[in-house]
Amino acid sequence: MNSKVLGIIKVFTTLILIFIIVYKIGLQRISGNLDKIWHIEVLMAAFMSPIVVLLGVYKWKLLVNGSGFKATWKSSIASYLGGMGIGLFTPMRVGELSRIFFLSGNREVLLGAALLDKAIDLQILIFLSTIGCLLVFGMKMAVIFGAFSVLLLSIIMFPTLYAPVKKKILLLPFKEKLQRLFVSVEDLPCSLKNSCLFIRFLVCGINILQFSLLLNVFEPVSFLAVFSVLPIIVLISNFPITIGGLGLREGVAALMLTSFGVSPAIAVTTSFLLFCINSLLPGAIGFMFFSNHSVNSVKVKFLSIRLPFFRR
């Protein structure tokens, strides 16, 4: 399908979801929560955002150096934030892979490292979502999520186990991406992959703490409820049907947190606040700070050459 048509569909879907949320909950109820955004808990959650970003940068730096390149903190921060900026406007944040154009080195190997970085993020999200599925949706859904989590973890940690079926796997769509991912996974030591998995787990823990702080500004919410729903909210918000997950993330938060007695208006407000703190603000800084001529050429090159590849 034409990329412009897909873009129009995403804009339309985003507007429809936002309209439904506002219509069902009420704009006054949602806006009525904004007077509490300057509470100490909100500021505490916001101050955790640089820690989240720096941990992400460090994980990316480990993967780049482990792939045989020399990444400094400066270049890692530049590429990470630059990728976040472009990722705000692309489906499933595929634009974050543009971070490879901010580094010097073999693009194919760097792309494999970026894909592995995304695979690690996905594995931890699915693993944590398994617990929430057990509490919210029941055993069957938890088993499905748990199976996917174990499968992805085994691919990341023990890729040689899949050598007999590797050729068959590479017959699937996106075989070029799968090939690069396999190469990246095979070349990295297990200790480094363990470190990256732990870092992502730590980031998710901080995200859960942030969300808990934000929710408790408005009304008391148990930590178990937050722990159960946030990974699922983040996971579903990555589905490429709206712009930056807008509307989808808030709708899922309202539906899931309602089962724990949380007001839909509060769920929508806090989920959007968390997105602003951890994604929108750092991404906007990255997009604006790196919007010079050299980075603009990076954006044009990525959007015109790489994105069609990911839409196949």
Side-chain angles (χ1 to χ4, degrees):
M1 187 179 293
N2 186 281
S3 59
K4 291 184 179 179
V5 176
L6 284 174
I8 293 172
I9 292 174
K10 286 185 177 66
V11 171
F12 182 75
T13 306
T14 302
L15 293 176
I16 289 294
L17 285 175
I18 293 174
F19 174 78
I20 292 173
I21 290 171
V22 173
Y23 178 77
K24 289 289 186 181
I25 299 175
L27 181 61
Q28 187 174 1
R29 292 182 64 190
I30 296 174
S31 60
N33 294 321
L34 297 179
D35 61 340
K36 297 182 179 180
I37 63 173
W38 298 113
H39 279 218
I40 184 64
E41 291 90 345
V42 178
L43 297 178
M44 289 172 62
F47 283 129
M48 293 180 189
S49 178
I51 299 175
V52 170
V53 172
L54 286 175
L55 285 172
V57 171
Y58 181 56
K59 177 161 65 75
W60 171 235
K61 183 174 179 289
L62 286 177
L63 290 171
V64 172
N65 289 339
S67 299
F69 303 99
K70 182 61 178 177
T72 63
W73 271 102
K74 181 178 180 180
S75 63
S76 298
I77 292 173
S79 63
Y80 188 83
L81 286 179
M84 282 189 72
I86 300 175
L88 289 174
F89 307 99
T90 53
M92 295 184 72
R93 298 185 183 178
V94 167
E96 289 187 7
L97 300 178
S98 64
R99 67 178 72 166
I100 68 174
F101 293 107
F102 295 84
L103 299 172
S104 59
N106 185 293
R107 302 299 184 200
E108 305 301 320
V109 178
L110 287 172
L111 180 58
L115 287 168
L116 177 57
D117 194 13
K118 299 295 287 184
I120 289 172
D121 291 352
L122 181 62
Q123 196 282 324
I124 295 298
L125 270 180
I126 295 175
F127 169 72
L128 293 175
S129 297
T130 302
I131 302 171
C133 284
L134 178 62
L135 296 174
V136 179
F137 300 113
M139 179 62 72
K140 289 184 179 179
M141 188 63 70
V143 169
I144 294 173
F145 270 69
F148 274 111
S149 175
V150 171
L151 176 63
L152 187 53
L153 179 63
S154 64
I155 292 174
I156 293 172
M157 297 302 299
F158 310 108
T160 54
L161 294 176
Y162 296 88
V165 295
K166 182 177 177 181
K167 291 183 179 180
K168 293 183 179 180
I169 293 176
L170 295 178
L171 293 176
L172 297 172
F174 311 108
K175 62 180 180 181
E176 293 89 350
K177 289 189 294 181
L178 290 170
Q179 176 66 44
R180 290 165 188 158
L181 180 57
F182 269 114
V183 171
S184 296
V185 171
E186 290 169 355
D187 289 346
L188 291 175
C190 287
S191 59
L192 190 148
K193 289 181 281 189
N194 282 328
S195 298
C196 292
L197 286 165
F198 175 75
I199 291 171
R200 180 57 191 177
F201 187 83
L202 184 60
V203 167
C204 286
I206 296 174
N207 292 157
I208 291 170
L209 179 58
Q210 288 176 300
F211 199 43
S212 179
L213 286 170
L214 293 174
L215 281 169
N216 280 278
V217 168
F218 304 99
E219 64 180 46
V221 181
S222 70
F223 187 79
L224 179 61
V226 180
F227 182 81
S228 301
V229 302
L230 182 61
I232 300 175
I233 293 171
V234 176
L235 186 64
I236 296 178
S237 69
N238 282 313
F239 288 5
I241 61 175
T242 65
I243 300 173
L246 188 62
L248 181 60
R249 170 183 49 255
E250 291 75 22
V252 173
L255 287 172
M256 296 198 66
L257 284 170
T258 300
S259 62
F260 290 94
V262 179
S263 162
I266 291 175
V268 168
T269 303
T270 51
S271 60
F272 183 70
L273 276 175
L274 186 65
F275 168 72
C276 291
I277 290 171
N278 285 342
S279 298
L280 184 60
L281 183 58
I285 292 173
F287 195 82
M288 293 171 61
F289 184 74
F290 298 108
S291 60
N292 52 44
H293 175 74
S294 60
V295 176
N296 277 330
S297 64
V298 168
K299 294 174 187 174
V300 171
K301 183 176 180 181
F302 179 79
L303 294 174
S304 62
I305 297 176
R306 292 297 178 181
L307 284 189
F309 169 80
F310 286 99
R311 292 195 182 107
R312 292 175 188 172

